[in-house]
Amino acid sequence: MISTINNSHINNKQEENIALFKYRQQLKELMKAKGNGTSVITLFISPKTALIFNRQSVLTALKSALHRLKLFTKTPSNGLAVFSGMINADLINFKDGFDDGDSLVGDDYGGVNNSNGGNVSNQTLKKLCLVIEPPFHPIEHNLYYCDDRFHVDQLLNQLHDYECGKVFGFIIVNGQSCLFATLKGNHSKILHEFSVDLPKKHSKGGQSRERFARNREIARDAYLKEVAEKANHYFISQSQNCALVDGIILAGSADLKNELLTCQSDTLDYRLRNKVISTIDICYGGKMGLYQAIELCKDLLKDAKYVEEQQVINELFTALHKGNNRSVVGLDEVMYAVNHGWVDKLILCEAATNLKRVTLMNDKEIRYMTDEQLKEEMKYLNIVRIESVIDYLIENYHTIGVSTLELVSNATNEGQMFLNGFSGIGGILKFEVDVTSLLSQDKEACVNLSTEEGNQFEEEDEFM
């Protein structure tokens, strides 16, 4: 079986985020795949390459893929990525792409090397042929690689660049410390931070007023020079002779940020001066100052995914704070509301991969558990199927009454709070519903029903 993944038909930002998540997960799963020797083949075809030349070059190794490639009259606008080979199907979580009629046992095929360099015997190898058309970003270079694994680094790097967009530099400076950071997409990175002990405005004695003021000015100038030199180091590429950021935000609680720009020396590179898009006042220094600066600059950074995710999660936190039963968080509570059709906007953290949907007794009962809960209760349950809650909701949210699905990462401070405090799942309801109380009543009713049935069976046994 050949699976073609087409990411070209996207109508809005919501669909794009979902498609990006699926594409990212596909690449991560491909990274886990292991085959034997050099039997696993990776083929990238750039948009500028004619398909006919590639067909001839991989005729033997890609027979199954060639059948699919012949359906293309020309190379798609973003190119093609083909992954084909006999791999250990137990290592990856793919529903499509495998040929069920073509499989071998690891020992019969020479064994399968595991990720630690060892040999995995008695494992079933299945033929996978996956054609991705087109990726979100045009393939830059042709690639033909035979190995025991798939090579997806180029696609992952291009996907990262596509998602991140512009890079913003932050300089958080005050009289106690200075911090340099970048914001790219939803990821903020602290490049460097150092402390300083500048003289106060007033002397405690021992020096004349004029001398003290002069020494203070010398110390401030030296500090600003150091800040400028470090900014040049972290935000200018000497090899490429250009700025590494698309814009710079200067933030601080004193006048130092403004003096950095107005000082007469040319210590701060002119290429960085031209990149400064805003100077803002903040109450904090260091890491907290960075978070505050990002929040205050959200209008300037409206294209940054970091700000988008903050706004989505803060909407949920605000609704929770109001306490008007228009929001719900937690795995059991959210899925209870989803199954009743009460959720208008569903918010999922991509990192909440430990949430599982467990089907019991021939589809008659569904339970929602974390990996830890499932591990403890598995031996007591008659399990038919286990699937990821995130995957299930992404595939079915349209059909179960959810109007909007928002995917967020745990890269932001809010994202971490959402994942750690609420399991990375929450929702805004269509109307006021006390979900927690209704769920508790339903669970109590189920317990009472089970108790009555158990008593009835005991009475029947006694009668017999």
Side-chain angles (χ1 to χ4, degrees), residues 61-74:
L62 291 176
K63 289 182 180 180
S64 56
L66 284 172
H67 176 72
R68 182 66 182 88
L69 290 177
K70 289 177 181 178
L71 298 178
F72 295 92
T73 57
K74 64 178 181 179

Side-chain angles (χ1 to χ4, degrees), residues 245-270:
V245 293
D246 296 292
I248 290 180
I249 289 91
L250 293 177
S253 57
D255 293 332
L256 286 167
K257 59 184 179 298
N258 298 316
E259 294 177 20
L260 183 63
L261 279 180
T262 58
C263 61
Q264 296 180 357
S265 68
D266 294 329
T267 309
L268 184 65
D269 194 288
Y270 73 94

Side-chain angles (χ1 to χ4, degrees), residues 418-452:
F418 180 50
L419 178 64
N420 297 332
F422 305 109
S423 302
I425 183 168
I428 306 296
L429 303 178
K430 298 174 182 177
F431 40 79
E432 293 186 11
V433 183
D434 190 349
V435 176
T436 304
S437 295
L438 291 175
L439 175 61
S440 178
Q441 293 174 15
D442 275 8
K443 286 183 176 181
E444 185 177 348
C446 289
V447 171
N448 293 335
L449 180 61
S450 299
T451 303
E452 292 176 0

Side-chain angles (χ1 to χ4, degrees), residues 1 56 84 117 122 139 150 158 173 187 215 233 273 276 329 426:
M1 178 180 178
Q56 298 300 322
S84 180
N122 300 320
I139 291 176
F150 294 121
Q158 291 180 228
V173 57
H187 181 66
N215 289 341
H233 173 74
R273 289 175 181 269
V276 175
V329 290

Side-chain angles (χ1 to χ4, degrees), residues 300-317:
L300 293 172
L301 309 176
K302 58 184 177 182
D303 293 330
K305 199 165 186 283
Y306 188 107
V307 176
E308 293 177 5
E309 293 187 0
Q310 278 186 322
Q311 292 172 343
V312 168
I313 299 173
N314 282 332
E315 180 187 2
L316 176 64
F317 287 173

